């Protein structure tokens, strides 16, 4: 594949494929990324208006044009790629079954739709659902304009217990685990029913257009690449994790070729042994949080623990922490995500090559 601004595409993919196989070529993979950079708009695209924010989010031509403008003239160093992934927010899978979203400038929020148990039978996927059709349109337009410019990924999919938390509300779901576990299992069944078929639906569309498997984490695979996660379980015991989430997690990862578990924050660490015990999970993305959870150096024991289990580790690094991190860590199994200006990126690569 040849893309503008990415002349070393195949070399970058070789590094990623070695990493998935727990090997390393010349250095660890490196992705240069700045948080929420994809939401910036170009002045050259000003002048459009919409009746509300929802209409702007659903304007597929606009969303794709903004992205194309944002990558124009850029060079994508190391294992960074120009990637458009259709996005209506992190709760969109729950909306495919009847929930509604409220839209802000850069994200959206779910309206919890299961207020009583009589609402559960209404949780039905339909291909006529407006959110599903919105993602379909974003995907179609992105593919039409992508040739030689960028990769197209699939949307952010959260099934299983995270989807149930979207439908019910996290606080209420915590009570439900104790008071109505059978109803929770019923909702999990509804959330699981369409997850793998929908994943395969998007995968088939992308593969038919010569695309790879990639989504918001921007780590592509030639197979099926999945980011399992369940941020809700940071609020529950490991016994609850095992009963209400682990079976869904195992079902999802066994269906895929590559899996990177999104471990979001220290509240998830109580479940790390269960996550590391699953052979189909190839890597863990460690998200340390902000404030007192910075700098990354305080979490080196966690990262080394994941390494010792034979898993890869995706780590977010500040440039200021790079030298200290290199001095304290072995490079094997690491995938570094570094926010840095484009002009500084070649020098950072040279520093990592010396590791």
């Amino acid at each position: 594949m040849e893309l503008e601004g990415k002349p070393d595409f195949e070399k970058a993919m070789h590094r990623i494929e070695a990493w998935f196989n727990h090997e390393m070529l010349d250095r660890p993979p490196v992705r240069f990324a700045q948080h929420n950079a994809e939401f910036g708009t170009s002045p050259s695209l000003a002048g459009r208006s919409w009746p509300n924010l929802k209409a702007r989010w659903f304007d597929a031509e606009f969303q794709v044009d903004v992205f194309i403008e944002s990558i124009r003239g850029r060079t994508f160093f190391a294992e960074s790629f120009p990637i458009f992934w259709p996005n209506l927010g992190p709760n969109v899978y729950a909306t495919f079954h009847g929930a509604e979203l409220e839209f802000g400038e850069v994200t959206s929020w779910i309206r919890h739709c299961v207020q009583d148990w009589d609402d559960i039978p209404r949780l039905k996927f339909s291909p006529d659902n407006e959110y599903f059709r919105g993602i379909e349109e974003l995907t179609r337009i992105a593919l039409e304009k992508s040739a030689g410019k960028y990769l197209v990924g699939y949307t952010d999919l959260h099934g299983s217990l995270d989807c149930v938390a979207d439908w019910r509300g996290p606080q209420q779901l915590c009570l439900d685990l104790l008071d109505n576990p059978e109803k929770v299992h019923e909702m999990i069944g509804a959330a699981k029913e369409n997850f793998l078929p929908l994943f395969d639906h998007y995968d088939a569309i992308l593969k038919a257009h010569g695309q790879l498997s990639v989504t918001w984490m921007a780590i592509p695979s030639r197979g099926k690449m999945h980011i399992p996660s369940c941020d809700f379980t940071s609020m529950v015991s490991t016994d609850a994790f095992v009963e209400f989430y682990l079976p869904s997690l195992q079902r999802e990862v066994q269906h895929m070729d590559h899996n990177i578990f999104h471990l979001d924050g220290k509240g998830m660490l109580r479940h790390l042994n269960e996550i590391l015990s699953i052979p189909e999970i190839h890597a863990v993305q460690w998200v340390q949080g902000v404030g007192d959870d910075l700098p990354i150096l305080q979490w080196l024991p966690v990262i080394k623990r994941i390494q010792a289990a034979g898993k890869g580790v995706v780590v977010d690094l500040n440039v200021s922490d790079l030298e200290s991190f290199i001095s304290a860590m072995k490079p094997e199994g690491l995938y570094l995500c570094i926010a840095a200006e484009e002009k500084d990126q070649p020098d950072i690569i040279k520093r990592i090559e010396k590791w």
Side-chain angles (χ1 to χ4, degrees), residues 305-337:
R305 179 179 164 193
I306 299 170
Q307 280 181 307
K311 310 290 188 183
V313 196
V314 181
V315 181
D316 289 302
L317 276 183
N318 291 324
V319 175
S320 59
D321 294 326
L322 181 59
E323 294 301 332
S324 298
F325 186 84
I326 287 175
S327 298
M329 295 294 299
K330 295 179 180 179
E332 287 77 15
L334 295 176
Y335 198 120
L336 306 181
C337 296

Side-chain angles (χ1 to χ4, degrees), residues 131-205:
Y131 296 96
F132 178 75
R133 287 188 284 106
I135 295 296
E136 293 282 278
E137 181 71 357
L138 282 163
T139 303
R140 182 183 68 81
I141 297 294
L143 287 169
E144 286 179 357
K145 299 188 176 190
S146 66
K149 296 184 179 69
Y150 55 88
L151 298 176
V152 179
Y154 61 90
T155 194
D156 191 5
L157 294 171
H158 294 266
S160 187
L161 200 56
D162 262 354
C163 179
V164 173
D166 290 339
W167 290 336
R168 187 71 168 143
Q171 182 173 329
Q172 183 58 55
L173 182 56
C174 286
L175 299 175
D176 295 338
L177 296 181
L178 296 173
D179 298 336
N180 294 283
E182 71 286 349
K183 292 296 183 181
V184 176
H185 282 295
E186 184 179 350
M187 287 188 287
I188 291 171
K192 288 167 53 177
E193 181 179 358
N194 296 295
F195 187 85
L196 295 182
L198 280 169
F199 183 97
D200 287 349
H201 167 77
Y202 295 123
D203 189 67
I205 291 173

